[in-house]
Amino acid sequence: MAEKKPLVLTGGGVEQLQSGDTIAKADVGLGNVDNTSDANKPVSTAQQTALDLKAPLASPVFTGISDFSTGGAYFGTAAAANLLDDYEEGTWTPVLTSDSGETATLGAYTCYYTKIGRKVTININELVWSAISGAFTSTVRITGLPFAAASRAGGAFINNGLSASGSDTRVLALAETGQTYILLATQNDNTGNYGLSPVVASSGVIYGLQITFIVS
Amino acid sequence: MTTQTERKIEIVGQFKHIQVRDTVHILENGVRVASKPPHRFVIGPLDPAPCAEYQALKDLYHTPELIAAYEAT
């Protein structure tokens, strides 16, 4: 086999190649090029560092806190009814008052709420009042709700100082549609009849009350 | 450390409830480092305004016509 002659560069140019000449990659400025297949091409250290910070689209596992503040997430189906676009935990300040303006003196008190989508749950834990400004002779309310209810919702609660009047037997809490307060209503367990004027003692406590309602 | 209150006011629903959210942010050298849970309240068409700022909003949104419609529900 005839010996192949290396390429000879002269004067910055390339002499005419003769049969049997060879050209090295470096001779034409391609010294770093090889025949590595696409699948075998390495990624740079910087690229790998960036890739390591990405989650796979299928079954991603997130660490830390995910930020959905500009949208939300679909669950089950990508439809409006399956979109969770709001979650919030916060505080609100209750006021025990009556339809005719009487108020109860409350200590410094903070109540909490949790909002998940359109559903809001408000909590009252040991709301103590020490005096009332006058006889509560009309509808009794807890005002200051964090959201207006878009539908009626109610529940029982434990208290000392609120009692049913007349033939009614217990006091219930009721969030009214479109209102920003909880109504404290009375009900007769035997007849189902209800009233709106519980008797309020000069001091008392609501030990625990929780209502969940829907908002607009 | 300083604090900064971010107030968000929304007008919500058919009867223009004024929905207020106050969030207190804690700043260090002007940069937010933490936030307290938001505090909320709502002013309905029949509710009194707690201050002049909200009275202006009530005057704007809680018109006599709206209040009449609200009371009719």
Side-chain angles (χ1 to χ4, degrees):
Chain A
M1 179 180 291
E3 182 182 355
K4 293 186 176 180
K5 297 180 293 183
L7 178 68
V8 179
L9 303 177
T10 59
V14 180
E15 288 188 343
Q16 186 174 4
L17 295 176
Q18 303 298 316
S19 174
D21 286 347
T22 61
I23 301 175
K25 294 181 293 182
D27 293 337
V28 290
L30 298 174
N32 292 328
V33 174
D34 58 27
N35 288 328
T36 306
S37 66
D38 191 63
N40 290 326
K41 287 174 183 168
V43 296
S44 70
T45 301
Q47 285 174 318
Q48 189 60 55
T49 299
L51 288 171
D52 289 344
L53 297 174
K54 307 298 181 184
L57 288 174
S59 304
V61 176
F62 297 111
T63 58
I65 298 174
S66 302
D67 185 346
F68 296 98
S69 59
T70 57
Y74 291 116
F75 291 87
T77 302
N82 301 81
L83 176 63
L84 178 59
D85 60 355
D86 193 18
Y87 179 89
E88 185 177 304
E89 300 171 3
T91 61
W92 61 286
T93 303
V95 176
L96 184 60
T97 184
S98 80
D99 213 9
S100 51
E102 292 86 11
T103 57
T105 302
L106 306 175
Y109 196 79
T110 298
C111 291
Y112 296 89
Y113 68 85
T114 302
K115 183 176 188 290
I116 304 173
R118 293 182 58 206
K119 182 180 287 187
V120 173
T121 299
I122 59 102
N123 292 85
I124 291 176
N125 179 32
E126 299 223 5
L127 175 62
V128 177
W129 70 93
S130 57
I132 55 177
S133 63
F136 278 54
T137 56
S138 60
T139 306
V140 180
R141 300 171 174 177
I142 298 173
T143 63
L145 288 184
F147 299 92
S151 65
R152 182 176 279 176
F157 65 101
I158 303 170
N159 81 92
N160 183 9
L162 294 165
S163 55
S165 56
S167 61
D168 291 344
T169 50
R170 62 174 175 164
V171 182
L172 299 172
L174 191 65
E176 283 276 45
T177 303
Q179 305 293 355
T180 59
Y181 56 78
I182 296 169
L183 200 60
L184 300 182
T186 59
Q187 186 178 39
N188 185 314
D189 282 337
N190 298 318
T191 66
N193 293 335
Y194 69 92
L196 297 174
S197 300
V199 176
V200 182
S202 58
S203 62
V205 57
I206 294 174
Y207 291 109
L209 187 158
Q210 176 175 291
I211 292 181
T212 297
F213 55 83
I214 299 298
V215 299
S216 297
Chain B
M1 291 278 194
T2 58
T3 62
Q4 179 185 53
T5 299
E6 177 190 8
R7 173 159 293 164
K8 179 182 178 184
I9 300 176
E10 300 168 293
I11 309 300
V12 178
Q14 176 187 3
F15 295 113
K16 311 293 185 188
H17 284 88
I18 301 168
Q19 189 168 281
V20 184
R21 184 187 73 178
D22 286 340
T23 306
V24 176
H25 302 297
I26 300 168
L27 312 179
E28 186 172 2
N29 299 323
V31 177
R32 185 187 301 177
V33 294
S35 299
K36 294 182 177 180
H39 186 86
R40 282 188 177 270
F41 62 94
V42 187
I43 305 169
L46 302 181
D47 296 331
C51 65
E53 176 188 3
Y54 298 112
Q55 185 60 55
L57 289 172
K58 280 185 66 68
D59 292 342
L60 181 63
Y61 290 105
H62 297 165
T63 61
E65 294 78 15
L66 182 131
I67 292 172
Y70 181 75
E71 289 180 320
T73 59

